Amino acid sequence: MNKYRDLVLSACLLSFFAAPGIQAAEMGRDDLNSKDKKRVAEIVKPTADFTKAESFELMQGGGATSTQSVSRDSFSHFSANLDFKGEQDFKLGNGLFRKLWVSSPSSTAASDGLGPLFNARSCQRCHLKDGRGHPPKDKLDSAVSMFLRVSIEPQTAEDIAAIESGEKALIPEPTYGGQLQDLAIKEMQPEGQMNIDYSEKEVVLKGGEIVKLRVPTYSVTKLNYGPLHEKALLSPRVAPPMIGLGLLEAIHPADILANEDVADADGDGISGKISWIGPKASPDREIGRFGWKASAPSVIVQSANAFAGDIGISSELADRPYGDCTAAQTGCFDQKTGIQKRLGDYEAPSPVLELVAFYASNLAPPARRDVDAAEVLKGKKLFYENGCADCHRPKYVTSRNAAQKEHRFQLIWPYTDMLLHDMGEGLADHRPVGSANGYEWKTPPLWGIGLTETVNGHTFFLHDGRARNLTEAILWHGGEGEASMQKFKEMDASERQALIAFLESL
Amino acid sequence: MKFSTKMTGTVFGLSLFAAIPLATPAVSAEKVDAAAVTKTYADIAEAIFTDSLNSAEALKASINALIDNPSEATLAAAKSAWISARAPYQQSEAYRFGNAIVDDWEGKVNAWPLDEGLIDYVDGSYGDSSDENALYTVNVIANKTLTVSGQKVDASNITPGFLAETLHEAEEVEANVATGYHAIEFLLWGQDLNGTDAGAGNRPYTDFDLKNCTGGNCDRRISYLQAATDLLIADLKEMQANWQAGGEARKSVTTDPAKGIVAMLTGMGSLSYGELAGERMKLGLLLKDPEEEHDCFSDNTHNSHYFDQIGIRNVYTGHYKRPDGSIVSGASLADLVKAKDAALNSELSAKLDATVQAMAVMKARAESIEAYDQMIGENNEAGNAVVQAAIDGLIAQTRVIERVVTTLGYGTIEIEGSDSLDNTSAVFK
């Protein structure tokens, strides 16, 4: 494992030296003139004044921010600055997002193509209320918005070389492919069922408060296509919140590059690195931005992969009408696809994928609440002082060259550096993907996190929903987040409370 | 199109402009006009929601008659009352967008599409173990105990509170629509199993007959129907009050008339383009899917679309014809536009009329040749074209609405790569 990590490191270092630090970022903001660069540098500097809210902090998604009243629909509003045409595309995308796909052949040809293996029949089934998924609440809870990714360590010289060069991000499990589908069309068997067992461990906070963390163990039961490979690697993933994705895509690459500190040159114990997508040698490789390990460079690629992997629907960007079938799964490639030549070459022909991606790019971050409250400002100060803001980077001004006009040149507050960080043994899935080793996760954005309970009726956080509230989520931070987590543990109860109040206001 | 105004809660362009003074349409004489215009707007809203409420109460009376004396005739009368109740309600939809208080409430009364298996028995072809919705075929009418998100839930009493608080959107799945017009529609008509062939749902009246019960659990089906109707009435009362003197919705559009005018234009444009032309019509044409129709059990979609467009025109003309034939009217947005640009007023009036005409053609076709779900079917060129003509009309009228926004002084000038940071005085002191 370390071997791959080193290779990734050196590759990133090369680009790091080619474009060093803040200067490079300024040079790199090729979308800005020199006057704008100064303005932007000024506005994105971390604040040192915690006596009042910053200008425009309330509107954490810039002009796209939704100011609709707080409700269970708070993550479902469209970017407030869309024009009428944009609103239509959003609503068409929404219709497709909730659409149920059916197995072929059916009476509604345009809906054909489900599976053969799948995790859900619609996007919305996992992305509940466009918000955050959750693990099963108990053994009876079938409303799961979570699955297991699977792969194996590279076994052959060829595979090792392909991983090293970046040609491949992972080696799929020989029988079960890249993820475990727990459902199938009626002609096929589902692959198996995810099983979670929790044990507990206690953490003592200053003042004696005891927090019990639940430690999950994952396994697969009811395997219908034989045993998993002995070197199989599993990685559980809940559906992440959908808000603000288009704005994250509009962050200029130079700003992400400037966040990077692969060798921890500044000695702060934090060494974020970019998740590169594509062969290392390729000048066209892209920055990964989406997914828990930043494995997709854009919303549309993420959407295409989800269509293919989760629902079994092919599109121009993921031409896999058989979804995640493998040759080892007898009959899987014999099933009928939903491709209708008169409608196009894919099960989701144009403009279906584009509309879904447009929808996913335009779910508006909600306006903040209580942005001026003393408790919130106190928590904000602690958030900065504790080093939380070093990775959960507060603000950016998006690129003037963003694909969609509503996403251009917006002051946004996502609280992420878009980089991968080693989060320690506790959170490790031991399953490398592309640039990310088995300990690394992308800093997830925090905007909207305070409305999770309002929208989704739960407060399960982290990539697998193991944390049952924000305090537990913080306490799980290890590795590069360890120092900040320790500081949190050593805070007075009132300070911890204030920090949580700040997060709740996002 | 962006509206730079002070209000919050509308769907447009709040962003950083919220903090700065606005370009309000200037002179005081016009302000008086704007105030009169928004008063008419609120008066028509009050009338529409009053008519919606009254027609829902008439629906309740006809449902009681069905329950007291189940027959073909009483079921037909209840269906007819439902269709009548839709006419004023659909005209209220032009108020939904632009008025957050209406939009936040709307999901309770008009949510669709719904997974009918949540409510009652369904045909075998519906599928019995759908994964996308664990409650897909839970059939609350047949089951006194449900499992929602792993919790046992007592469903022995089907009350308005149970429908609104426990069943509606259960397990965070939006298709779990337990309340509103479409839940009642399903109970009265039953599933439409005809695909893109002719015919609506065909539930037998004996499904409500305690003595000769078909479909099982007639007592619980009756409870459900009554609870859903009572809830609809309560929700409509709430919205009626919001538009009466002193009500929040009325205050929000009349206190600051500029804000009211923007709500009017936003409502017209958003309903025209995104909601109606887009989600409710174009998507169906794109997918050729008979499920993609708004009133799918009753085959009343043509009326729903038609009255949406009438509602849009009402907002512009300041003129609403009530079900009893009387008229509510007053100073109008049309007057306001005419004073600024008479040609623009003529153009928008003509476009709105043309869309009404295109909708009328669709409505006539639905009433004489084929239902809406057949019109959107594959290989139905003539039907598709009729629907497309209405979509084109909606889009064309929105383009003129956008120009009205600019003419009245509510548009911000589009600057290349505009928005927050281009307003340097706001962001960079």
Side-chain angles (χ1 to χ4, degrees):
Chain A
M1 215 70 63
N2 281 335
K3 190 166 64 174
Y4 307 125
R5 178 147 58 163
D6 292 345
L7 281 167
V8 172
L9 283 179
S10 57
C12 291
L13 279 172
L14 282 176
S15 63
F16 182 76
F17 288 128
I22 301 297
Q23 268 183 330
E26 284 184 5
M27 279 165 43
R29 283 293 303 247
D30 52 4
D31 59 318
L32 301 178
N33 62 31
S34 59
K35 187 171 154 240
D36 275 349
K37 277 182 193 164
K38 276 198 201 115
R39 294 161 62 201
V40 168
E42 192 61 33
I43 192 83
V44 299
K45 252 199 318 220
T47 186
D49 178 2
F50 299 98
T51 60
K52 58 181 189 301
E54 294 168 71
S55 297
F56 310 111
E57 190 177 358
L58 179 76
M59 305 296 281
Q60 56 184 340
T65 308
S66 163
T67 53
Q68 302 261 348
S69 50
V70 169
S71 74
R72 67 200 298 193
D73 296 325
S74 282
F75 292 167
S76 301
H77 302 302
F78 52 83
S79 302
N81 52 358
L82 286 185
D83 58 19
F84 287 124
K85 166 76 166 66
E87 187 182 340
Q88 182 181 73
D89 289 342
F90 177 90
K91 288 188 174 180
L92 289 170
N94 185 26
L96 294 164
F97 196 76
R98 65 158 195 256
K99 172 186 174 46
L100 299 179
W101 296 85
V102 296
S103 61
S104 320
S106 81
S107 57
T108 51
S111 304
D112 277 7
L114 178 69
L117 307 170
F118 58 97
N119 292 99
R121 287 180 55 190
S122 70
C123 305
Q124 197 175 61
R125 172 58 187 87
C126 288
H127 296 286
L128 298 164
K129 304 299 292 176
D130 305 302
R132 188 180 291 268
H134 59 82
K137 287 169 190 158
D138 59 39
K139 301 279 180 197
L140 278 175
D141 187 1
S142 62
V144 184
S145 34
M146 174 178 183
F147 60 59
L148 289 172
R149 289 213 194 281
V150 290
S151 56
I152 56 169
E153 292 174 23
Q155 304 293 303
T156 63
E158 191 190 350
D159 280 350
I160 290 170
I163 294 283
E164 282 178 359
S165 70
E167 291 287 340
K168 288 185 179 173
L170 54 81
I171 307 301
E173 206 279 344
T175 305
Y176 290 92
Q179 75 193 45
L180 184 80
Q181 282 85 15
D182 55 355
L183 296 163
I185 62 171
K186 65 177 188 296
E187 291 80 4
M188 295 290 294
Q189 294 292 320
E191 291 189 325
Q193 299 298 317
M194 173 182 68
N195 188 59
I196 315 176
D197 290 302
Y198 292 110
S199 59
E200 287 201 327
K201 73 172 181 188
E202 290 188 352
V203 179
V204 184
L205 307 179
K206 183 181 174 191
E209 187 189 331
I210 295 172
V211 177
K212 288 183 177 166
L213 300 181
R214 47 178 200 171
V215 184
T217 310
Y218 294 92
S219 57
V220 185
T221 56
K222 299 183 190 165
L223 283 165
N224 279 316
Y225 299 91
L228 284 166
H229 191 278
E230 58 178 359
K231 298 282 187 190
L233 309 168
L234 302 178
S235 182
R237 311 288 178 91
V238 300
M242 302 276 296
I243 51 173
L245 301 184
L247 293 165
L248 295 176
E249 189 166 333
I251 294 175
H252 196 286
D255 287 347
I256 301 176
L257 216 56
N259 288 337
E260 230 191 352
D261 182 14
V262 177
D264 191 18
D266 63 7
D268 65 355
I270 298 169
S271 59
K273 79 184 193 199
I274 286 173
S275 167
W276 287 106
I277 312 295
K280 286 168 192 164
S282 166
D284 299 329
R285 66 180 186 159
E286 294 178 274
I287 295 177
R289 295 171 191 245
F290 300 104
W292 290 102
K293 296 225 181 203
S295 303
S298 62
V299 175
I300 198 163
V301 167
Q302 175 76 25
S303 304
N305 286 333
F307 256 130
D310 306 353
I311 312 182
I313 294 292
S314 69
S315 64
E316 189 172 358
L317 295 181
D319 188 9
R320 303 197 293 273
Y322 300 98
D324 197 28
C325 284
T326 66
Q329 290 170 317
T330 308
C332 216
F333 285 104
D334 301 329
Q335 303 305 317
K336 290 191 176 66
T337 75
I339 297 168
Q340 320 283 338
K341 281 291 175 191
R342 67 187 185 285
L343 301 174
D345 292 335
Y346 311 99
E347 292 169 329
S350 185
V352 172
L353 177 65
E354 292 88 335
L355 288 169
V356 168
F358 186 87
Y359 173 78
S361 300
N362 284 287
L363 288 153
R368 285 188 54 191
R369 290 80 50 215
D370 306 319
V371 69
D372 266 325
E375 178 88 342
V376 166
L377 290 167
K378 179 182 168 188
K380 181 181 171 187
K381 183 162 186 270
L382 291 162
F383 185 85
Y384 283 63
E385 287 174 355
N386 249 18
C388 309
D390 295 348
C391 295
H392 290 286
R393 182 178 157 179
K395 52 189 165 173
Y396 297 83
V397 174
T398 56
S399 173
R400 278 197 185 277
N401 298 333
Q404 193 188 314
K405 68 179 190 299
E406 289 85 358
H407 295 151
R408 290 176 198 152
F409 209 49
Q410 298 294 316
L411 175 59
I412 62 168
W413 308 69
Y415 296 91
T416 172
D417 57 7
M418 305 293 282
L419 300 177
L420 300 169
H421 295 276
D422 182 330
M423 294 304 291
E425 179 62 35
L427 286 176
D429 64 354
H430 304 287
R431 177 181 180 267
V433 181
S435 306
N437 69 36
Y439 295 84
E440 290 174 324
W441 299 96
K442 185 196 77 179
T443 310
L446 298 180
W447 51 13
I449 200 164
L451 291 176
T452 306
E453 181 152 30
T454 303
V455 171
N456 294 115
H458 68 77
T459 53
F460 296 116
F461 297 112
L462 301 174
H463 65 275
D464 58 358
R466 68 178 70 184
R468 289 165 292 193
N469 52 53
L470 291 167
T471 299
E472 289 185 16
I474 295 167
L475 293 173
W476 272 109
H477 283 57
E480 295 172 43
E482 174 85 22
S484 293
M485 183 274 286
Q486 290 297 346
K487 285 183 194 160
F488 176 76
K489 267 169 75 175
E490 293 307 315
M491 284 178 177
D492 292 335
S494 65
E495 292 176 321
R496 293 196 302 264
Q497 208 176 342
L499 185 70
I500 300 293
F502 167 67
L503 295 173
E504 296 279 6
S505 78
L506 296 180
Chain B
M1 186 64 45
K2 280 184 277 319
F3 299 122
S4 79
T5 70
K6 231 183 258 190
M7 80 239 45
T8 55
T10 70
V11 289
F12 282 98
L14 300 167
S15 75
L16 304 180
F17 294 114
I20 58 166
L22 303 166
T24 3
V27 296
S28 57
E30 283 184 8
K31 265 188 188 162
V32 175
D33 284 343
V37 169
T38 57
K39 181 184 178 299
T40 306
Y41 177 67
D43 290 345
I44 290 179
E46 184 183 346
I48 287 176
F49 283 109
T50 301
D51 293 337
S52 299
L53 174 62
N54 291 342
S55 58
E57 280 171 343
L59 171 64
K60 180 182 160 81
S62 70
I63 283 171
N64 287 340
L66 164 68
I67 291 162
D68 292 344
N69 180 20
S71 70
E72 293 284 3
T74 51
L75 178 58
K79 288 177 174 177
S80 164
W82 186 88
I83 286 175
S84 299
R86 289 293 283 170
Y89 176 78
Q90 284 302 102
Q91 292 177 74
S92 84
E93 288 217 289
Y95 286 80
R96 173 180 164 193
F97 306 100
N99 292 290
I101 195 168
V102 183
D103 197 27
D104 289 348
W105 162 92
E106 185 270 351
K108 299 196 281 187
V109 297
N110 196 36
W112 78 289
L114 61 82
D115 275 351
E116 55 265 43
L118 171 74
I119 297 174
D120 201 354
Y121 69 85
V122 287
D123 184 76
S125 64
Y126 191 72
D128 56 8
S129 61
S130 172
D131 48 86
E132 78 289 337
N133 181 355
L135 296 172
Y136 194 53
T137 53
V138 83
N139 187 353
V140 68
I141 284 175
N143 291 290
K144 292 182 182 177
T145 309
L146 313 178
T147 305
V148 179
S149 300
Q151 303 289 313
K152 289 261 181 251
V153 172
D154 175 15
S156 50
N157 290 314
I158 301 177
T159 61
F162 171 77
L163 297 185
E165 282 143 38
T166 304
L167 206 54
H168 195 58
E169 283 200 8
E171 297 193 341
E172 307 167 69
V173 173
E174 287 163 17
N176 285 333
V177 174
T179 67
Y181 286 104
H182 297 298
I184 297 170
E185 180 194 4
F186 168 59
L187 285 170
L188 292 177
W189 270 270
Q191 276 179 292
D192 180 351
L193 299 172
N194 305 294
T196 50
D197 295 330
N202 191 23
R203 185 186 289 282
Y205 71 86
T206 44
D207 276 12
F208 302 100
D209 189 340
L210 292 171
K211 290 182 197 124
N212 303 295
C213 178
T214 53
N217 306 290
C218 285
D219 55 335
R220 288 175 62 79
R221 187 170 298 108
I222 287 167
S223 298
Y224 198 122
L225 184 56
Q226 289 180 316
T229 309
D230 287 345
L231 190 60
L232 176 66
I233 287 169
D235 288 334
L236 288 168
K237 268 187 187 147
E238 176 196 327
M239 192 47 64
Q240 179 198 37
N242 280 329
W243 289 100
Q244 286 170 335
E248 285 307 313
R250 176 178 287 268
K251 273 197 281 189
S252 124
V253 297
T254 53
T255 308
D256 176 358
K259 182 177 165 178
I261 301 285
V262 170
M264 294 169 79
L265 291 163
T266 303
M268 291 172 67
S270 291
L271 178 58
S272 294
Y273 203 141
E275 185 71 20
L276 191 50
E279 189 166 4
R280 295 191 195 171
M281 300 180 77
K282 190 173 170 182
L283 189 65
L285 273 188
L286 197 69
L287 298 174
K288 320 284 187 202
D289 183 349
E291 292 285 308
E292 287 295 337
E293 68 160 336
H294 195 246
D295 296 9
C296 71
F297 308 111
S298 61
D299 273 354
N300 187 51
T301 302
H302 55 286
N303 278 320
S304 279
H305 292 352
Y306 175 81
F307 285 113
D308 266 345
Q309 172 62 15
I310 296 292
I312 293 165
R313 190 172 65 176
N314 291 342
V315 168
Y316 188 66
T317 57
H319 184 279
Y320 166 59
K321 186 174 176 188
R322 308 186 73 157
D324 66 3
S326 64
I327 303 291
V328 180
S329 66
S332 68
L333 193 49
D335 298 337
L336 206 62
V337 175
K338 196 173 170 187
K340 280 243 172 182
D341 185 339
L344 185 61
N345 170 53
S346 304
E347 191 179 349
L348 183 51
S349 300
K351 294 279 191 232
L352 291 167
D353 290 345
T355 310
V356 169
Q357 184 55 37
M359 289 282 187
V361 169
M362 180 193 71
K363 181 167 147 70
R365 187 177 181 87
E367 285 162 357
S368 58
I369 299 173
E370 60 182 356
Y372 183 82
D373 55 359
Q374 296 172 277
M375 282 183 233
I376 62 173
E378 203 169 357
N379 302 320
N380 180 356
E381 257 179 58
N384 284 188
V386 166
V387 175
Q388 187 63 48
I391 293 173
D392 293 343
L394 289 163
I395 292 173
Q397 75 192 25
T398 310
R399 292 301 180 207
V400 187
I401 293 167
E402 288 172 337
R403 283 163 49 211
V404 166
V405 171
T406 309
T407 300
L408 291 182
Y410 297 106
T412 56
I413 301 156
E414 278 284 339
I415 304 164
E416 190 273 321
S418 67
D419 271 343
S420 56
L421 295 188
D422 279 329
N423 194 323
T424 54
S425 64
V427 179
F428 301 107
K429 305 235 159 57

